[in-house]
Amino acid sequence: MIRTKIDYGIDLGTTNSAISRMENGTIRIIKSLDTQKDTTPSCIAVNQKGNLFVGDKAYLNYRSNSLKNLSNNTSFNSYIEFKRTMGTDKKYHSSFAEKDFSSEELSAEVLKRLKEYVQDENISAVIVTVPAAFKNNQIDATRKAAQLAGFSHIEVLQEPVAASMAYGLENLNKDGFWLVFDFGGGTFDTALLKVEDGIMRVVDTEGDNYLGGKNLDFAIVDQLILPHIQDRFSIHNILSDDKRKAEFRNALKFFAEEIKNNLSFNASHNIYVDPGDCGEDDEGEEIDIDLTITQEDLARILTPVFQRAVDLSLKLIERNNLKGSDLESLILVGGPTLSPILRKMLESQIRKPDTNVDPMTVVSKGAALYASTIDIAEDIIETTRDKTKIQLEIGSEASTVETEEFITIKILEDKTEGAIPEKVFAEIKRGDNAWSSGKIEIDTKGEIIDVHLEEGKTNIFKITLYDNQGNSLECQPNTFTIIQGSKIGNSTLPYNWGVEILSESSGKVVFQSAEGLEKNKSLPAIGVINGLKTQKQIRPGMDSDFIKIPLYQGEHNADGTRAIYNDHVYDIIISGSDLPTLLPENSQVDLTISIDRSQEVSVEAFFPYIEYTTEIKVPTNTVQSTDTD
Ligand SMILES: Nc1ncnc2c1ncn2[C@@H]1O[C@H](COP(=O)(O)OP(=O)(O)OP(=O)(O)O)[C@@H](O)[C@H]1O
Ligand SMILES: [Mg+2]
């Protein structure tokens, strides 16, 4: 089949990933090949032969190796949570493959695997979701991972925006403010949305890139499991050696996760670990665990961690002059939101959460929904055309709150190899057969047709072409889809964008916002910073003559704050080789920064003195050398 929209969405999660697609007007999760599950662990393992495994098998390997490693210091080659180091120079060493993997390469393996789940077609265009709080370098790294996985048209969408799109499709009539509460494996995102007449808009977002299920698991390890072991064994030496302590805690984390996940559905849970399965103590005694945990125990430990996320949500709501009771819905996303402890906290501090979407798959479904509204890049469509069929170009809204929409339809003569009859008629029929356009003559210039939509539904339209004698003709594409009742919104800018300037009043280097690139602007967006000044002359053609303008991402109210308190993105460099003629010292520079819907950045500089505009190359390998863990 020929796809004209991207249609595929991937939730590339810290712990679990998932792929969905739009299929005949419905969004479907594509299940994993090996286990037929909706989600796949974002885990990679390399075996001794150097072969690579992804997903459930890799996770089992990781788990058993982490435990084995406690008793016999074997080297093991399995990796998790590499999303946390995206955009950094962190390397994951594999002795079996004899190479170092970057976080992008490991993520690429997960993406490749998900791509393999699609057995009935080759895909090269995809929407990949990212946490709302991801910085520019992390988004670039995500894009790079998708390129490595063989995708050629890649766009990103923020996870909470994706989740609310999926939720919106099933809850069309809930106008008002919605809060998305996305507590994942490694990141916490919360987003406030406003929905009016089915049209969704992100008002504001908050988040913490380093708050997730992992923090819950370690809280359980440190406050329940380690004390339980310390009561019966001497592990002083293990705990005072940083490396051994880290390995020990990592291994115990699996039991913590088991406790946490089981207690989402049961009143209490017992873990029993055979002597020796988690190594020996300082005296060589085999450690065992036999521990029963109740809801009360767990609540005491998890509440402070969950509270950090609740507080960020309250801050977001209050910053927008709202109270929990003003919210129309509270949408839960992420595995840990299955916890009754959290749900009670949300109910008492914000409002009762909605539980009618699956928190594990809603992000990937939303990504596919958004994907179904975005045109595939022209060069990809070219590769999938069957030119023996009459090639059509259809222009239609992907989603609408109206009940009628105009679409355009046009024959692409130069893309069609077969014969095109002198007269061609198109008939457009709605999927439920309750509406048809009748036969309308179309040509190479384009015709406008008014289509009628069924309310609250994903409307699939089928196109049939006829010649003058009433014979049907094959065409591509032969369907299009319009979602009625909810206008799938745009992605939004997660940070203020600006540059560093020297403040004349304070003499300090401060952040100056680009007008038009304030946080939460709907994307694409264009920002301008006018009146910057060059500090020295720039001679044409001279690389050694340049000006440097540091570009920053900042939080709310970043304007006027010290530049170093914000996030440096990269330096815009304008050198003599960018200019045709001499630019004197103290010349004015006006910057235009454009950010597309997928957060790709392009910059233009205009020099009024020489009336010249130059496009500035934006570096994409903006890797940071911090190892953030
Ligand atoms: N039943 C459950 N109760 C509580 N927590 C659970 C349950 N099932 C899974 N989790 C936890 O959910 C977390 C993973 O959640 P999820 O798959 O939503 O994260 P992710 O999308 O991979 O991460 P992120 O969105 O941060 O990138 C893990 O910490 C896991 O232990
Ligand atoms: Mg997630």
Side-chain angles (χ1 to χ4, degrees):
M1 78 177 284
I2 178 169
R3 289 192 185 271
T4 53
K5 306 285 179 188
I6 294 181
D7 283 349
Y8 281 86
I10 289 182
D11 172 8
L12 181 61
T14 313
T15 322
N16 298 297
S17 297
I19 179 166
S20 299
R21 76 171 167 200
M22 177 61 98
E23 208 175 280
N24 302 325
T26 332
I27 295 163
R28 279 195 214 297
I29 283 272
I30 305 173
K31 291 187 187 288
S32 66
L33 280 179
D34 20 17
T35 52
Q36 291 295 305
K37 284 203 233 154
D38 289 346
T39 62
T40 295
S42 307
C43 181
I44 309 287
V46 183
N47 72 8
Q48 301 218 359
K49 287 186 184 158
N51 299 332
L52 211 126
F53 297 91
V54 184
D56 287 293
K57 204 167 170 186
Y59 188 71
L60 284 177
N61 180 286
Y62 183 85
R63 186 188 161 111
S64 69
N65 276 330
S66 300
L67 292 170
K68 263 195 244 155
N69 184 44
L70 293 178
S71 19
N72 52 3
N73 213 347
T74 49
S75 71
F76 70 100
N77 286 199
S78 22
Y79 317 96
I80 58 163
E81 294 173 357
F82 30 85
K83 177 169 168 180
R84 287 187 136 185
T85 49
M86 287 291 265
T88 71
D89 59 2
K90 163 97 179 164
K91 293 282 183 254
Y92 296 82
H93 181 66
S94 164
S95 53
F96 300 149
E98 291 179 358
K99 69 173 280 195
D100 285 335
F101 290 99
S102 65
S103 315
E104 290 92 285
E105 286 171 319
L106 293 175
S107 297
E109 293 301 332
V110 176
L111 293 171
K112 260 189 231 168
R113 188 70 190 135
L114 296 174
K115 196 167 169 233
E116 284 165 9
Y117 296 169
V118 182
Q119 299 254 294
D120 52 358
E121 65 177 315
N122 281 327
I123 53 169
S124 37
V126 72
I127 301 290
V128 181
T129 56
V130 291
F134 251 23
K135 299 271 161 52
N136 194 257
N137 62 316
Q138 296 167 301
I139 294 172
D140 276 343
T142 306
R143 235 182 244 123
K144 205 154 145 207
Q147 273 161 8
L148 289 173
F151 290 100
S152 50
H153 179 179
I154 304 136
E155 300 201 19
V156 304
L157 177 68
Q158 290 111 319
E159 288 161 12
V161 182
S164 50
M165 285 175 180
Y167 177 85
L169 192 63
E170 286 169 23
N171 298 275
L172 294 174
N173 304 320
K174 285 197 174 173
D175 275 4
F177 286 99
W178 298 358
L179 187 78
V180 178
F181 187 95
D182 180 355
F183 199 102
T187 45
F188 173 67
D189 276 332
T190 176
L192 182 69
L193 288 102
K194 185 162 193 201
V195 186
E196 269 169 313
D197 301 326
I199 300 174
M200 212 181 291
R201 184 171 64 82
V202 177
V203 178
D204 202 356
T205 57
E206 250 313 319
D208 184 337
N209 268 354
Y210 302 99
L211 175 61
K214 182 176 173 169
N215 303 75
L216 300 169
D217 297 337
F218 279 124
I220 297 171
V221 169
D222 292 337
Q223 295 172 51
L224 279 177
I225 304 180
L226 277 178
H228 167 77
I229 296 174
Q230 271 170 313
D231 276 351
R232 296 173 311 125
F233 297 92
S234 61
I235 52 171
H236 177 79
N237 293 351
I238 298 178
L239 297 185
S240 46
D241 175 335
D242 284 349
K243 183 166 172 281
R244 285 185 70 197
K245 181 179 174 186
E247 285 168 358
F248 197 55
R249 285 175 80 235
N250 272 329
L252 296 178
K253 180 171 165 270
F254 295 107
F255 304 118
E257 194 170 4
E258 183 187 318
I259 295 170
K260 177 192 68 183
N261 297 0
N262 267 288
L263 281 181
S264 286
F265 309 110
N266 301 299
S268 70
H269 182 70
N270 171 267
I271 54 164
Y272 178 76
V273 181
D274 277 330
D277 277 3
C278 51
E280 293 174 351
D281 76 355
D282 298 344
E283 264 107 57
E285 259 200 70
E286 293 186 325
I287 299 173
D288 66 31
I289 301 175
D290 183 2
L291 179 63
T292 301
I293 313 259
T294 63
Q295 285 291 346
E296 292 69 45
D297 298 328
L298 195 70
R300 185 168 41 81
I301 287 153
L302 300 194
T303 300
V305 184
F306 278 139
Q307 190 61 45
R308 284 166 60 194
V310 176
D311 284 343
L312 284 171
S313 306
L314 286 169
K315 178 174 151 195
L316 174 73
I317 302 170
E318 282 157 15
R319 179 161 85 207
N320 288 281
N321 304 317
L322 295 170
K323 299 186 298 295
S325 56
D326 296 327
L327 300 175
E328 198 56 44
S329 337
L330 172 50
I331 305 160
L332 298 180
V333 185
T337 64
L338 290 164
S339 162
I341 298 165
L342 171 70
R343 291 183 177 191
K344 264 190 227 129
M345 289 171 70
L346 288 171
E347 186 166 355
S348 71
Q349 298 183 50
I350 301 180
R351 63 152 283 151
K352 192 172 167 42
D354 265 284
T355 48
N356 63 354
V357 291
D358 174 2
M360 301 297 282
T361 55
V362 66
V363 169
S364 111
K365 284 184 173 168
L369 178 61
Y370 176 72
S372 76
T373 71
I374 306 281
D375 289 330
I376 286 192
E378 197 54 42
D379 52 333
I380 297 177
I381 294 187
E382 283 313 312
T383 64
T384 56
R385 282 190 199 283
D386 176 356
K387 294 189 173 183
T388 59
K389 297 176 178 168
I390 295 179
Q391 295 295 312
L392 298 177
E393 185 182 281
I394 313 283
S396 70
E397 283 290 336
S399 62
T400 183
V401 291
E402 310 296 330
T403 52
E404 287 183 27
E405 273 291 332
F406 288 114
I407 65 125
T408 58
I409 177 165
K410 173 170 143 183
I411 298 174
L412 300 174
E413 199 174 8
D414 55 336
K415 310 267 187 215
T416 307
E417 278 164 8
I420 302 174
E422 206 173 309
K423 279 183 184 291
V424 177
F425 301 87
E427 183 177 17
I428 298 179
K429 252 194 196 149
R430 203 168 69 198
D432 63 352
N433 282 331
W435 177 87
S436 153
S437 65
K439 285 184 190 170
I440 296 170
E441 187 171 352
I442 60 166
D443 55 26
T444 53
K445 289 195 229 42
E447 191 61 41
I448 297 173
I449 300 176
D450 180 22
V451 301
H452 293 222
L453 300 158
E454 194 183 355
E455 282 188 51
K457 289 269 157 47
T458 301
N459 290 254
I460 305 172
F461 293 94
K462 205 165 166 18
I463 308 162
T464 318
L465 298 190
Y466 298 95
D467 66 11
N468 218 357
Q469 284 78 45
N471 302 310
S472 66
L473 309 163
E474 285 197 297
C475 64
Q476 251 193 352
N478 58 5
T479 66
F480 64 93
T481 303
I482 303 178
I483 298 163
Q484 201 287 335
S486 153
K487 179 100 181 130
I488 306 304
N490 298 322
S491 58
T492 51
L493 201 58
Y495 294 100
N496 270 353
W497 280 68
V499 296
E500 156 188 316
I501 56 153
L502 186 67
S503 158
E504 280 174 12
S505 52
S506 68
K508 294 207 170 97
V509 175
V510 296
F511 178 98
Q512 181 182 333
S513 293
E515 207 185 316
L517 293 184
E518 293 81 14
K519 178 170 169 163
N520 302 318
K521 272 270 150 84
S522 180
L523 290 176
I526 294 179
V528 287
I529 299 174
N530 291 336
L532 298 171
K533 288 280 161 60
T534 59
Q535 283 167 3
K536 52 190 180 203
Q537 67 166 9
I538 300 182
R539 291 163 293 173
M542 300 288 285
D543 274 340
S544 54
D545 287 5
F546 63 87
I547 48 172
K548 186 171 94 174
I549 308 170
L551 203 56
Y552 279 83
Q553 287 184 307
E555 284 299 340
H556 270 275
N557 313 323
D559 217 27
T561 58
R562 295 282 293 276
I564 46 163
Y565 297 152
N566 299 284
D567 264 286
H568 179 244
V569 183
Y570 42 68
D571 295 328
I572 297 170
I573 307 275
I574 305 165
S575 76
S577 55
D578 297 314
L579 301 179
T581 163
L582 182 88
L583 187 68
E585 182 187 329
N586 209 26
S587 290
Q588 184 173 330
V589 188
D590 298 338
L591 280 189
T592 304
I593 305 169
S594 309
I595 304 186
D596 75 6
R597 62 174 180 239
S598 184
Q599 294 190 51
E600 270 191 278
V601 183
S602 55
V603 181
E604 257 182 21
F606 173 61
F607 307 92
Y609 183 77
I610 54 172
E611 286 200 1
Y612 186 74
T613 302
T614 177
E615 208 172 289
I616 296 153
K617 260 192 86 176
V618 173
T620 49
N621 56 341
T622 48
V623 166
Q624 296 193 346
S625 62
T626 40
D627 181 4
T628 37
D629 206 16

PDB file of all heavy atoms in Angstrom, residues 531-545:
ATOM      1  N   GLY A 531      19.206  43.711  16.773  1.00  0.00           N
ATOM      2  CA  GLY A 531      20.063  44.723  17.392  1.00  0.00           C
ATOM      3  C   GLY A 531      21.267  44.189  18.142  1.00  0.00           C
ATOM      4  O   GLY A 531      21.834  44.884  18.975  1.00  0.00           O
ATOM      5  N   LEU A 532      21.695  42.948  17.865  1.00  0.00           N
ATOM      6  CA  LEU A 532      22.969  42.496  18.443  1.00  0.00           C
ATOM      7  C   LEU A 532      24.078  43.271  17.729  1.00  0.00           C
ATOM      8  O   LEU A 532      23.905  43.727  16.604  1.00  0.00           O
ATOM      9  CB  LEU A 532      23.148  40.989  18.230  1.00  0.00           C
ATOM     10  CG  LEU A 532      22.102  40.087  18.884  1.00  0.00           C
ATOM     11  CD1 LEU A 532      22.267  38.658  18.413  1.00  0.00           C
ATOM     12  CD2 LEU A 532      22.226  40.154  20.414  1.00  0.00           C
ATOM     13  N   LYS A 533      25.235  43.390  18.391  1.00  0.00           N
ATOM     14  CA  LYS A 533      26.317  44.194  17.788  1.00  0.00           C
ATOM     15  C   LYS A 533      27.583  43.356  17.662  1.00  0.00           C
ATOM     16  O   LYS A 533      27.921  42.571  18.568  1.00  0.00           O
ATOM     17  CB  LYS A 533      26.624  45.414  18.674  1.00  0.00           C
ATOM     18  CG  LYS A 533      25.546  46.497  18.637  1.00  0.00           C
ATOM     19  CD  LYS A 533      25.695  47.363  17.399  1.00  0.00           C
ATOM     20  CE  LYS A 533      24.449  48.143  17.040  1.00  0.00           C
ATOM     21  NZ  LYS A 533      23.954  49.057  18.013  1.00  0.00           N
ATOM     22  N   THR A 534      28.315  43.535  16.548  1.00  0.00           N
ATOM     23  CA  THR A 534      29.612  42.856  16.418  1.00  0.00           C
ATOM     24  C   THR A 534      30.659  43.637  17.202  1.00  0.00           C
ATOM     25  O   THR A 534      30.605  44.865  17.278  1.00  0.00           O
ATOM     26  CB  THR A 534      30.067  42.781  14.948  1.00  0.00           C
ATOM     27  OG1 THR A 534      30.169  44.116  14.453  1.00  0.00           O
ATOM     28  CG2 THR A 534      29.102  41.996  14.098  1.00  0.00           C
ATOM     29  N   GLN A 535      31.606  42.893  17.793  1.00  0.00           N
ATOM     30  CA  GLN A 535      32.605  43.579  18.613  1.00  0.00           C
ATOM     31  C   GLN A 535      33.898  43.878  17.865  1.00  0.00           C
ATOM     32  O   GLN A 535      34.733  44.619  18.338  1.00  0.00           O
ATOM     33  CB  GLN A 535      32.885  42.765  19.868  1.00  0.00           C
ATOM     34  CG  GLN A 535      31.749  42.952  20.854  1.00  0.00           C
ATOM     35  CD  GLN A 535      31.778  41.963  21.982  1.00  0.00           C
ATOM     36  OE1 GLN A 535      32.682  41.144  22.086  1.00  0.00           O
ATOM     37  NE2 GLN A 535      30.784  42.048  22.844  1.00  0.00           N
ATOM     38  N   LYS A 536      34.051  43.238  16.706  1.00  0.00           N
ATOM     39  CA  LYS A 536      35.218  43.562  15.895  1.00  0.00           C
ATOM     40  C   LYS A 536      34.834  43.455  14.426  1.00  0.00           C
ATOM     41  O   LYS A 536      33.765  42.911  14.102  1.00  0.00           O
ATOM     42  CB  LYS A 536      36.389  42.650  16.234  1.00  0.00           C
ATOM     43  CG  LYS A 536      36.046  41.194  16.200  1.00  0.00           C
ATOM     44  CD  LYS A 536      37.152  40.346  16.762  1.00  0.00           C
ATOM     45  CE  LYS A 536      36.711  38.902  16.673  1.00  0.00           C
ATOM     46  NZ  LYS A 536      37.301  37.982  17.522  1.00  0.00           N
ATOM     47  N   GLN A 537      35.710  43.947  13.584  1.00  0.00           N
ATOM     48  CA  GLN A 537      35.377  43.886  12.156  1.00  0.00           C
ATOM     49  C   GLN A 537      35.551  42.458  11.641  1.00  0.00           C
ATOM     50  O   GLN A 537      36.343  41.677  12.169  1.00  0.00           O
ATOM     51  CB  GLN A 537      36.240  44.853  11.368  1.00  0.00           C
ATOM     52  CG  GLN A 537      37.708  44.475  11.337  1.00  0.00           C
ATOM     53  CD  GLN A 537      38.477  45.258  10.284  1.00  0.00           C
ATOM     54  OE1 GLN A 537      37.949  46.188   9.690  1.00  0.00           O
ATOM     55  NE2 GLN A 537      39.719  44.902  10.054  1.00  0.00           N
ATOM     56  N   ILE A 538      34.785  42.124  10.580  1.00  0.00           N
ATOM     57  CA  ILE A 538      34.920  40.805   9.975  1.00  0.00           C
ATOM     58  C   ILE A 538      35.264  40.990   8.511  1.00  0.00           C
ATOM     59  O   ILE A 538      34.519  41.616   7.748  1.00  0.00           O
ATOM     60  CB  ILE A 538      33.613  39.992  10.127  1.00  0.00           C
ATOM     61  CG1 ILE A 538      33.308  39.840  11.619  1.00  0.00           C
ATOM     62  CG2 ILE A 538      33.731  38.634   9.472  1.00  0.00           C
ATOM     63  CD1 ILE A 538      32.101  39.030  11.921  1.00  0.00           C
ATOM     64  N   ARG A 539      36.434  40.452   8.156  1.00  0.00           N
ATOM     65  CA  ARG A 539      36.880  40.599   6.765  1.00  0.00           C
ATOM     66  C   ARG A 539      36.335  39.433   5.948  1.00  0.00           C
ATOM     67  O   ARG A 539      36.353  38.285   6.401  1.00  0.00           O
ATOM     68  CB  ARG A 539      38.422  40.616   6.714  1.00  0.00           C
ATOM     69  CG  ARG A 539      39.000  41.880   7.340  1.00  0.00           C
ATOM     70  CD  ARG A 539      40.468  41.702   7.648  1.00  0.00           C
ATOM     71  NE  ARG A 539      40.681  40.706   8.698  1.00  0.00           N
ATOM     72  CZ  ARG A 539      41.876  40.261   9.077  1.00  0.00           C
ATOM     73  NH1 ARG A 539      42.975  40.710   8.490  1.00  0.00           N
ATOM     74  NH2 ARG A 539      41.995  39.367  10.033  1.00  0.00           N
ATOM     75  N   PRO A 540      35.843  39.701   4.748  1.00  0.00           N
ATOM     76  CA  PRO A 540      35.234  38.635   3.952  1.00  0.00           C
ATOM     77  C   PRO A 540      36.233  37.520   3.663  1.00  0.00           C
ATOM     78  O   PRO A 540      37.418  37.795   3.442  1.00  0.00           O
ATOM     79  CB  PRO A 540      34.805  39.342   2.661  1.00  0.00           C
ATOM     80  CG  PRO A 540      35.608  40.601   2.613  1.00  0.00           C
ATOM     81  CD  PRO A 540      35.886  40.980   4.028  1.00  0.00           C
ATOM     82  N   GLY A 541      35.743  36.295   3.706  1.00  0.00           N
ATOM     83  CA  GLY A 541      36.579  35.145   3.375  1.00  0.00           C
ATOM     84  C   GLY A 541      37.519  34.720   4.487  1.00  0.00           C
ATOM     85  O   GLY A 541      38.170  33.685   4.378  1.00  0.00           O
ATOM     86  N   MET A 542      37.580  35.486   5.581  1.00  0.00           N
ATOM     87  CA  MET A 542      38.538  35.151   6.643  1.00  0.00           C
ATOM     88  C   MET A 542      37.851  34.310   7.728  1.00  0.00           C
ATOM     89  O   MET A 542      36.987  34.800   8.440  1.00  0.00           O
ATOM     90  CB  MET A 542      39.081  36.428   7.298  1.00  0.00           C
ATOM     91  CG  MET A 542      39.804  37.350   6.350  1.00  0.00           C
ATOM     92  SD  MET A 542      41.388  36.683   5.863  1.00  0.00           S
ATOM     93  CE  MET A 542      42.330  36.963   7.338  1.00  0.00           C
ATOM     94  N   ASP A 543      38.269  33.051   7.834  1.00  0.00           N
ATOM     95  CA  ASP A 543      37.710  32.181   8.873  1.00  0.00           C
ATOM     96  C   ASP A 543      38.096  32.642  10.270  1.00  0.00           C
ATOM     97  O   ASP A 543      37.385  32.400  11.244  1.00  0.00           O
ATOM     98  CB  ASP A 543      38.216  30.746   8.683  1.00  0.00           C
ATOM     99  CG  ASP A 543      37.343  29.987   7.714  1.00  0.00           C
ATOM    100  OD1 ASP A 543      36.194  30.424   7.505  1.00  0.00           O
ATOM    101  OD2 ASP A 543      37.822  28.974   7.162  1.00  0.00           O
ATOM    102  N   SER A 544      39.266  33.287  10.347  1.00  0.00           N
ATOM    103  CA  SER A 544      39.759  33.692  11.664  1.00  0.00           C
ATOM    104  C   SER A 544      39.013  34.915  12.210  1.00  0.00           C
ATOM    105  O   SER A 544      39.102  35.229  13.393  1.00  0.00           O
ATOM    106  CB  SER A 544      41.247  33.989  11.584  1.00  0.00           C
ATOM    107  OG  SER A 544      41.459  34.930  10.553  1.00  0.00           O
ATOM    108  N   ASP A 545      38.280  35.604  11.341  1.00  0.00           N
ATOM    109  CA  ASP A 545      37.441  36.700  11.826  1.00  0.00           C
ATOM    110  C   ASP A 545      36.039  36.147  12.045  1.00  0.00           C
ATOM    111  O   ASP A 545      35.395  35.701  11.091  1.00  0.00           O
ATOM    112  CB  ASP A 545      37.330  37.810  10.762  1.00  0.00           C
ATOM    113  CG  ASP A 545      38.609  38.610  10.640  1.00  0.00           C
ATOM    114  OD1 ASP A 545      39.593  38.255  11.301  1.00  0.00           O
ATOM    115  OD2 ASP A 545      38.602  39.592   9.866  1.00  0.00           O
TER     116      ASP A 545
END
